[in-house]
Amino acid sequence: MVKSNWPLVQLLQKAIPGASFDCGELSGLRYQNRIQLALKLPKLIWYAFRSGQRIARRDVQPDLVCVSSDMELIGLVIARLLSRKRFPIALMGFIYTTRESAIVSAMRRLYFRSVLSQAVGVTCFSKFEQKYYAGLFDLENTKFIPTLYGGVFNKPHDLEPSNDGYVLSAGRSGRNYKQLCEAVSQPPAIQTHIICDSAFALQDVELSANVTILRQCYGRDYIKQLAGADIVVLPLKNEKISSGQMVLLDAMALGKPVIITKTATTVEYGEHMSSLYFVEPDSVDELRSAIDFLMADPGLRKSIGDAAKVYYETHHSIQPYVDGLVDAIEQIVIKDQRVASEFRSSRGP
């Protein structure tokens, strides 16, 4: 559900006074495996379709309608076709993942090429992905625009994290938990907490006594786990897609040192040995060495954590994130310099 008092909505409305967020209400889509997700997709399409119907009934059609998933895009396209209205649609925050099967990957590429062709613009979370997607899908009338991820992080004032000296990892998409578990289980074993509610993400992991899996850890409990960790580790699998940004930025906002896999996208989110600590993909030994190195040096952990917090506030907090979104919308809707001038003036100072 989009609420008018959300900081993101308030800042977007201030930046673009004509923006509307009357999209109705959708309950949570939490899932633990792909089957559960597939069963929820019709609900998401229906939600977007009903929103599209309300948009189509307006006397004045919007300059742009933004959605955050391919299912919502499909729902709006159906509503647009049935109403015979031609309001433009943009997909915000697109991430494309391949599959091990060449046939399945080819089918996914054809599917997304067809769906994305219905959007006038698509935003992604790195400059690398902008070029990668533009070449992969080859859509002449669809713009791909990078906007670094960001948002609001609210730490509870009365939070009392534990100080058990553990390593923390979290998330479900694109994680290499097998690598992490092998690294922390080498003698001497390191106490490690993994926050993940996806059975698929953990299917190939051999757990040892030093690794605790937290399958139902959300909201305040998730933040408490982050705040109590000595180090946050994000081992990633895919080198070409965005993953891990939400947990990364939450940890940075808390001033936590983060070890993260160096990929074509993560290098846009910090600097090695300054605000982050990068490791090469797949190497168990290098990951363990990085963990040992930071665990043995509290001063370095504090230095990296302090720099990470400043980096988050400067580049990824709510205002920089909104500025990036507004710039992306501007690039999508502007057709010529005259319209550009009018659009910018409407945004105000």
Side-chain angles (χ1 to χ4, degrees):
M1 178 174 60
V2 177
K3 298 181 179 180
S4 60
N5 64 344
W6 282 359
L8 176 61
V9 172
Q10 291 178 332
L11 287 172
L12 282 171
Q13 286 180 323
K14 181 179 179 181
I16 312 174
S20 172
F21 298 92
D22 180 21
C23 299
E25 181 176 344
L26 177 68
S27 59
L29 289 173
R30 185 171 292 165
Y31 60 92
Q32 294 185 340
N33 54 57
R34 290 175 179 172
I35 295 177
Q36 291 181 6
L37 173 61
L39 294 175
K40 293 177 180 291
L41 294 182
K43 183 178 182 180
L44 187 56
I45 294 175
W46 177 249
Y47 157 78
F49 173 73
R50 294 297 301 273
S51 297
Q53 286 184 314
R54 288 193 293 271
I55 292 170
R57 287 194 293 265
R58 297 178 185 175
D59 293 333
V60 179
Q61 294 301 293
D63 292 329
L64 187 69
V65 178
C66 298
V67 298
S68 59
S69 72
D70 54 305
M71 293 294 107
E72 292 170 272
L73 179 53
I74 290 172
L76 281 178
V77 169
I78 295 173
R80 193 171 63 178
L81 287 172
L82 294 179
S83 66
R84 297 184 180 181
K85 299 292 179 67
R86 296 299 300 172
F87 50 85
I89 307 170
L91 175 58
M92 314 300 283
F94 174 66
I95 299 176
Y96 174 75
T97 57
T98 58
R99 295 292 184 265
E100 292 183 5
S101 167
I103 295 176
V104 174
S105 289
M107 292 175 63
R108 281 175 58 80
R109 179 180 173 275
L110 290 174
Y111 162 75
F112 278 109
R113 189 174 192 276
S114 176
V115 172
L116 297 180
S117 68
Q118 301 299 311
V120 294
V122 177
T123 71
C124 50
F125 294 127
S126 69
K127 294 178 182 178
F128 171 83
E129 286 170 303
Q130 176 193 27
K131 297 178 181 178
Y132 174 56
Y133 294 152
L136 181 66
F137 298 112
D138 190 25
L139 296 171
E140 182 179 353
N141 296 319
T142 302
K143 297 179 181 178
F144 290 90
I145 301 169
T147 58
L148 294 181
Y149 189 70
V152 178
F153 181 83
N154 293 316
K155 178 182 177 181
H157 296 296
D158 57 345
L159 188 69
E160 295 182 3
S162 61
N163 293 300
D164 297 333
Y166 58 87
V167 167
L168 177 79
S169 191
R172 59 166 62 178
S173 176
R175 301 301 195 272
N176 192 342
Y177 286 133
K178 181 179 180 181
Q179 176 196 11
L180 174 62
C181 288
E182 290 179 2
V184 299
S185 298
Q186 293 178 358
I190 300 172
Q191 186 63 37
T192 301
H193 298 180
I194 297 177
I195 299 174
C196 182
D197 62 2
S198 169
F200 178 79
L202 296 164
Q203 64 178 353
D204 60 349
V205 175
E206 293 186 11
L207 298 178
S208 52
N210 63 298
V211 178
T212 301
I213 304 297
L214 303 172
R215 299 181 185 273
Q216 300 293 324
C217 185
Y218 309 106
R220 182 186 178 87
D221 291 335
Y222 159 73
I223 297 175
K224 185 176 181 179
Q225 284 289 321
L226 270 180
D230 283 347
I231 300 172
V232 175
V233 180
L234 296 174
L236 307 177
K237 287 183 177 179
N238 197 309
E239 297 181 43
K240 288 187 176 181
I241 66 168
S242 284
S243 59
Q245 285 100 330
M246 187 187 77
V247 180
L248 168 65
L249 297 182
D250 287 347
M252 294 175 80
L254 279 169
K256 294 294 175 178
V258 179
I259 297 173
I260 189 169
T261 304
K262 184 179 181 181
T263 70
T265 61
T266 57
V267 294
E268 298 184 35
Y269 284 79
E271 298 180 9
H272 179 57
M273 290 294 289
S274 174
S275 52
L276 290 175
Y277 193 109
F278 286 115
V279 293
E280 295 298 322
D282 301 324
S283 174
V284 172
D285 290 339
E286 182 175 344
L287 180 57
R288 177 55 188 256
S289 294
I291 294 172
D292 287 343
F293 182 62
L294 288 185
M295 290 293 281
D297 193 336
L300 180 59
R301 293 203 305 271
K302 184 178 187 308
S303 174
I304 293 177
D306 290 346
K309 186 172 184 179
V310 173
Y311 194 91
Y312 163 81
E313 292 171 349
T314 304
H315 299 282
H316 300 288
S317 58
I318 185 64
Q319 188 62 61
Y321 181 48
V322 168
D323 290 342
L325 289 175
V326 172
D327 287 342
I329 292 171
E330 179 179 320
Q331 292 181 56
I332 292 171
V333 301
I334 288 173
K335 298 290 191 295
D336 54 49
Q337 291 301 314
R338 179 185 59 80
V339 177
S341 177
E342 294 176 357
F343 182 84
R344 293 190 182 99
S345 65
S346 72
R347 289 169 54 183

